[in-house]
């Protein structure tokens, strides 16, 4: 799935990845460090909650080797990955930026009262 | 571009967070009442122990009702985790004072959610929460009545504790 097809809209982009929405499948796509995952909205939110729940400070101050990584699962997607600390921060950045973008769209829909908003 | 978030849920994030927090609070209330029931049971107050077991069940129902509502409107209900609750009390009166304090805290939390709903123009959730507003009026009234009985019945008279146990357990039910 390409993010520049006519039915897709780029939501957020960082140096490490990007997210986009597909209006044909009603899915959100996440590309991060070479991985691509497709989410339903609720699964995307659950994934974001999981990533945001990681205690970054605790990871920094805990010197044991197994705290250098955090295993994140997305059970519905058969996805398991070990993220290093800085990857987690980058992923968080991307997910939270996407959430902001989605909320902004939602707000515009509500305020403008139209079912479709074209931003680009 | 479709509004996928709105298509999924009518809950705004801050309301979803507040509702999940309330699920947790009701769950905590349920555990507090359970601990009170146990203390009363251990100290021979079998009627008020039964009363508190029932309160504990009701609080679980309160939490569950919000839990189901969150999912019904497309949000994500999160199973609450509850920490330690008070297990020891100095007297029967202390139990019922703690109960009133707990109900007051719940009322305040419910009111704050209603305020949030109005700010977010989430009238469906406000409507849903009004049941809790009414419920809290009743819960506070009952908790206050229990303390009133301590003023009417002298706990240190020969059958005082026995009588208090019987009378408090009757609160809320038609005589
Ligand atoms: Fe309650
Ligand atoms: Fe209550």
């Amino acid at each position: 799935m390409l993010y520049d097809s006519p039915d897709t809209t780029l939501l957020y982009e960082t140096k490490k990845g990007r997210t986009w929405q597909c209006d044909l499948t009603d899915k959100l796509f996440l590309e991060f460090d070479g991985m691509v995952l497709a989410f339903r909205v609720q699964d995307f939110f659950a994934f974001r909650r999981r990533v945001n729940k990681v205690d970054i400070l605790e990871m920094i101050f805990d010197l044991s080797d197994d705290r250098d990584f955090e295993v994140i699962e997305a059970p519905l997607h058969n996805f398991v990955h070990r993220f290093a600390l800085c990857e987690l921060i980058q992923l968080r950045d991307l997910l939270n930026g996407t959430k902001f973008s989605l909320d902004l769209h939602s707000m515009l829909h509500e305020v403008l009262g139209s079912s479709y908003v074209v931003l680009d | 571009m479709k509004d996928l978030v709105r298509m999924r849920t009518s809950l705004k994030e801050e309301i979803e967070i507040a509702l999940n927090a309330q699920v947790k609070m009701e769950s905590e209330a349920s555990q507090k009442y359970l601990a009170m029931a146990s203390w009363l049971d251990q100290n021979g107050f079998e009627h008020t122990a039964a009363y508190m077991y029932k309160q504990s069940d009701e609080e679980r129902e309160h939490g569950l009702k919000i839990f189901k509502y969150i999912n019904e409107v497309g949000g994500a209900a999160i199973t609450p985790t509850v920490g330690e609750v008070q297990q020891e009390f100095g007297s029967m009166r202390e139990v019922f004072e703690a109960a009133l304090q707990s109900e007051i805290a719940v009322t305040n939390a419910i009111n704050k959610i209603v305020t949030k709903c109005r700010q977010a123009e989430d009238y469906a959730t406000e409507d849903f929460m009004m049941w809790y507003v009414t419920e809290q009026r009743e819960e506070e009234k009952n908790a206050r009545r229990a303390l009133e009985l301590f003023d009417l019945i002298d706990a240190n008279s020969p059958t005082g504790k026995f009588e208090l146990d019987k009378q408090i357990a009757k609160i809320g039910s038609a005589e």
Side-chain angles (χ1 to χ4, degrees):
Chain A
M1 171 66 63
L2 287 171
Y3 67 90
D4 53 0
S5 90
D7 292 302
T8 61
T9 314
L10 185 67
L11 292 170
Y12 202 73
E13 193 164 22
T14 65
K15 275 182 190 150
K16 277 287 174 177
R18 58 170 72 88
T19 53
W20 64 92
Q21 164 174 333
C22 171
D23 280 356
L24 276 183
T25 56
D26 289 351
K27 287 205 164 156
L28 302 174
F29 287 79
L30 167 76
E31 185 188 324
F32 182 78
D33 221 14
M35 301 172 272
V36 179
L37 288 172
F39 294 95
R40 294 181 306 167
V41 172
Q42 61 267 43
D43 302 329
F44 176 83
F45 286 168
F47 186 68
R48 172 176 167 265
R49 260 197 306 277
R50 173 67 187 91
V51 172
N52 281 336
K53 228 176 69 185
V54 180
D55 190 339
I56 299 281
L57 281 181
E58 194 253 355
M59 272 179 91
I60 293 172
F61 291 119
D62 192 328
L63 298 177
S64 58
D65 286 348
D66 62 340
R67 289 308 289 141
D68 291 344
F69 293 90
E70 175 83 12
V71 176
I72 304 273
E73 294 179 49
L76 278 173
H77 299 84
N78 259 323
F79 171 84
V80 184
H81 190 80
R82 266 159 46 111
F83 289 98
L85 183 66
C86 56
E87 286 177 321
L88 268 179
I89 292 170
Q90 290 155 348
L91 181 61
R92 231 181 228 195
D93 189 27
L94 181 58
L95 293 174
N96 292 333
T98 305
K99 175 70 166 59
F100 172 78
S101 183
L102 285 169
D103 285 344
L104 183 64
H105 279 298
S106 227
M107 211 180 282
L108 287 173
H109 274 277
E110 194 181 327
V111 172
L112 300 176
S114 66
S115 52
Y116 279 82
V117 179
V118 180
L119 271 190
D120 42 14
Chain B
M1 174 186 173
K2 286 182 184 171
D3 184 356
L4 292 185
V5 177
R6 184 62 183 87
M7 284 164 71
R8 170 62 201 166
T9 179
S10 59
L11 270 194
K12 296 209 166 79
E13 193 181 26
E14 78 254 36
I15 305 292
E16 185 179 352
I17 290 170
L19 289 177
N20 270 311
Q22 194 55 38
V23 170
K24 192 182 167 82
M25 194 172 200
E26 299 290 346
S27 184
E28 266 161 7
S30 174
Q31 297 294 87
K32 280 183 196 169
Y33 282 138
L34 190 61
M36 290 173 185
S38 178
W39 186 90
L40 291 165
D41 231 352
Q42 291 168 47
N43 287 280
F45 302 109
E46 62 176 14
H47 299 286
T48 42
Y51 177 82
M52 282 301 187
Y53 280 121
K54 197 167 136 267
Q55 292 295 314
S56 175
D57 284 347
E58 278 178 17
E59 298 302 347
R60 187 184 140 77
E61 283 299 315
H62 294 170
L64 203 55
K65 196 168 151 167
I66 302 174
F67 193 88
K68 288 177 177 167
Y69 174 81
I70 296 171
N71 285 337
E72 180 194 316
V73 292
I78 293 165
T79 313
T81 51
V82 177
E84 269 298 310
V85 293
Q86 185 178 354
Q87 308 279 350
E88 292 299 324
F89 298 89
S91 65
M92 192 192 193
R93 188 188 176 112
E94 200 182 285
V95 170
F96 286 91
E97 273 174 10
L100 176 60
Q101 282 309 327
S102 171
E103 289 301 339
I104 291 171
V106 171
T107 303
N108 292 344
I110 300 279
N111 287 343
K112 285 207 177 86
I113 295 178
V114 174
T115 304
K116 266 202 169 72
C117 289
R118 286 185 188 172
Q119 281 163 353
E121 298 182 4
D122 184 348
Y123 301 115
T125 304
E126 180 184 331
D127 178 54
F128 169 76
M129 289 308 296
M130 288 322 279
W131 183 86
Y132 288 83
V133 172
T134 310
E135 174 69 15
Q136 280 314 113
R137 198 177 69 207
E138 193 66 26
E139 297 266 71
E140 275 199 35
K141 187 187 90 184
N142 291 345
R144 237 174 246 121
R145 174 64 182 155
L147 291 181
E148 202 171 50
L149 287 173
F150 281 93
D151 291 335
L152 297 174
I153 304 168
D154 181 3
N156 296 316
S157 70
T159 55
K161 290 195 179 78
F162 183 74
E163 193 58 23
L164 273 167
D165 183 44
K166 278 205 300 194
Q167 293 304 326
I168 292 175
K170 282 187 197 161
I171 294 175
S173 58
E175 297 265 323

